[in-house]
Amino acid sequence: MHRILLVDDEYLEREVLKMILAKKPDLYQVVGEADNGEDALRFVKSHPVDIVIMDIKMPRMTGLDAARLMKEYSKKIGVILVTAYNDFEFAQHAVKYSVDDYLLKPTRPESIFEALASTIKKISLYSEKTTSPWTQAEDVFMGLCMKGDYMGGKKFLQKVREARFESYEKEREVLKKLLSCLLKMAESFRIEVEKSLKTKVDEQLKGSQTKDQYFDILELIFEEIFEVIIRDKRVDYGEEMTYALQYIEKNLTRTLTLESAASYMNISPHYFSKLFKGQVGENFIDYVTDRKVERAKELIEGTDHPLSAIAFELGFNEANYFSKVFKKKTGMTPSNFRKAVEERRSEEQELLRKSQPLGVKWMI
């Protein structure tokens, strides 16, 4: 039984499709309906769906935009787009964003069933040939955490946050594994995680919240655990300077000085400075500044936080000084960097809005 989501802003269009699919109840089950691309996207992220049959022209989000985002979320979801006219430019976009098939209105039931059969074959082949990259996520993350690799663990969490999973179920499975890793890690290092945080995560995982909401809490637990590990040096890194690098990464958003890092290492600032330059290859101030700028770029690109707030978060007391440092390292001011990011995204969106077909009724 293949689960179908119908997406069309016209109620009668969806009803006709349901009548057609009802002719083969042993093969197809309509599990949901939506009248716009945004609601359709939310549905596939919270319900198991095999194939989406979607009109291209809809309010709030076109079918082409929604198809692109669905395929980014899970390539195992089949997408059949419906358009009112045979437009070469539309076909180019459909292929570009891995749409599995498209139908021209008016269309007949046999054409719909042919498109469904073709799409089922495509997604089944993909499932057979593709192994989930998150199969061993728990082992990888646990390995990083148990080694006390704060930087590695943080980057891993960020990759998972940005990832598009092959299904909603796989996303929840990975999130639960990450939570389990963190709690096992806390127990191993004898660190007491606030019960309120654990309870909140459990509640989120039982509901239908977004991945970002889960991660906000998971990252709180991750930071809480590593706050203790790095502060108390509970991991034997082997290389002495690794302690300093982990300490720097954990404290990028705090007041970070050569003296505070040297104090953490229990050596004099002068000796620490020489040791750091010799082992890392650049002096302490330059290294810290580089890391702060890289973090600033991530925040500018990934959030809508005011630039002044980002500067303050990274320990810059004056926005003007932050701007000068940022420009020296990147060649552009923070505002210009954000503008460039916005322009790039705008251009990408504009490419997706060129197809505007007219609606035509189905033929039964």
Side-chain angles (χ1 to χ4, degrees):
M1 181 73 72
H2 301 286
R3 297 161 293 194
I4 311 292
L5 171 66
L6 303 179
V7 190
D8 198 304
D9 59 326
E10 293 191 30
Y11 171 76
L12 290 178
E13 300 284 339
R14 302 197 303 272
E15 288 299 304
V16 170
L17 268 175
K18 283 195 287 186
M19 290 171 57
I20 293 172
L21 294 173
K23 294 178 180 180
K24 295 190 177 183
D26 55 327
L27 291 179
Y28 307 113
Q29 177 188 9
V30 176
V31 295
E33 299 179 48
D35 60 10
N36 65 81
E38 289 183 359
D39 288 346
L41 186 61
R42 277 192 287 268
F43 189 92
V44 300
K45 288 186 176 182
S46 57
H47 300 81
V49 173
D50 299 311
I51 299 173
V52 179
I53 302 177
M54 182 162 50
D55 191 31
I56 189 168
K57 186 180 180 183
M58 293 182 294
R60 293 166 60 181
M61 180 185 288
T62 68
L64 195 57
D65 286 348
R68 174 179 64 86
L69 294 172
M70 286 176 186
K71 282 297 187 179
E72 287 179 358
Y73 178 75
S74 173
K75 294 188 183 301
K76 291 184 179 180
I77 297 176
V79 178
I80 301 172
L81 286 183
V82 182
T83 182
Y85 65 159
N86 192 359
D87 181 77
F88 180 69
E89 184 177 18
F90 160 73
Q92 284 183 312
H93 282 299
V95 171
K96 179 179 179 181
Y97 295 114
S98 301
V99 171
D100 297 287
D101 212 331
Y102 71 95
L103 295 166
L104 299 178
K105 294 184 183 180
T107 190
R108 299 182 181 279
E110 51 265 33
S111 298
I112 296 171
F113 291 128
E114 286 175 6
L116 284 167
S118 173
T119 299
I120 290 167
K121 185 176 181 180
K122 288 180 182 178
I123 60 177
S124 63
L125 288 174
Y126 179 84
S127 299
E128 291 172 5
K129 294 179 180 180
T130 305
T131 302
S132 171
W134 307 110
T135 303
Q136 299 182 352
E138 185 177 15
D139 293 337
V140 174
F141 185 59
M142 195 66 175
L144 291 169
C145 289
M146 293 306 294
K147 289 190 298 183
D149 188 349
Y150 173 76
M151 291 181 282
K154 196 173 181 69
K155 287 178 180 177
F156 184 88
L157 283 178
Q158 187 61 32
K159 285 182 179 179
V160 178
R161 183 193 277 270
E162 296 170 353
R164 302 292 182 181
F165 291 89
E166 57 264 40
S167 68
Y168 178 71
E169 290 81 3
K170 174 57 68 175
E171 178 182 295
R172 291 173 66 83
E173 178 188 336
V174 171
L175 290 171
K176 288 179 180 179
K177 284 184 177 181
L178 294 182
L179 172 60
S180 175
C181 286
L182 289 174
L183 298 181
K184 288 178 183 176
M185 177 189 172
E187 183 179 355
S188 176
F189 284 104
R190 298 182 181 179
I191 298 172
E192 182 63 32
V193 176
E194 287 186 20
K195 291 182 179 179
S196 60
L197 279 177
K198 289 192 288 187
T199 301
K200 197 169 183 180
V201 173
D202 287 336
E203 290 174 351
Q204 294 279 31
L205 289 171
K206 290 176 183 176
S208 58
Q209 304 301 313
T210 66
K211 184 170 65 175
D212 283 343
Q213 288 173 309
Y214 299 148
F215 265 90
D216 288 342
I217 301 167
L218 287 173
E219 287 179 345
L220 280 177
I221 295 178
F222 175 80
E223 294 292 342
E224 182 179 332
I225 292 171
F226 269 97
E227 180 71 25
V228 178
I229 288 175
I230 293 175
R231 183 193 66 207
D232 297 346
K233 298 181 181 176
R234 295 197 181 185
V235 174
D236 182 6
Y237 290 121
E239 296 291 334
E240 187 178 21
M241 195 50 61
T242 304
Y243 288 99
L245 296 178
Q246 300 285 349
Y247 174 83
I248 291 168
E249 199 69 24
K250 187 73 181 72
N251 291 279
L252 277 178
T253 58
R254 302 175 184 174
T255 301
L256 190 58
T257 64
L258 175 68
E259 288 73 23
S260 65
S263 176
Y264 169 74
M265 295 291 289
N266 293 317
I267 54 181
S268 72
H270 178 70
Y271 178 65
F272 173 69
S273 179
K274 290 179 63 178
L275 191 66
F276 191 92
K277 178 68 180 291
Q279 293 190 17
V280 178
E282 61 181 319
N283 65 50
F284 177 83
I285 297 299
D286 287 342
Y287 179 85
V288 171
T289 302
D290 287 342
R291 291 300 306 129
K292 285 180 179 285
V293 169
E294 286 303 310
R295 179 59 180 152
K297 287 165 65 177
E298 293 172 5
L299 292 171
I300 292 171
E301 189 164 1
T303 73
D304 58 359
H305 297 168
L307 296 177
S308 57
I310 291 175
F312 182 77
E313 180 178 343
L314 291 170
F316 293 92
N317 295 325
E318 295 182 7
N320 287 338
Y321 178 64
F322 166 64
S323 182
K324 289 179 181 178
V325 171
F326 191 93
K327 184 175 183 180
K328 182 179 180 181
K329 293 292 184 180
T330 67
M332 57 200 317
T333 64
S335 57
N336 286 338
F337 181 81
R338 173 165 278 173
K339 184 178 179 181
V341 170
E342 292 171 349
E343 288 177 350
R344 186 186 73 237
R345 288 175 177 166
S346 179
E347 289 172 0
E348 291 173 352
Q349 288 298 316
E350 186 61 28
L351 290 174
L352 297 172
R353 300 188 186 280
K354 291 182 178 179
S355 181
Q356 296 293 331
L358 301 173
V360 180
K361 297 296 181 181
W362 293 89
M363 292 178 63
I364 303 178

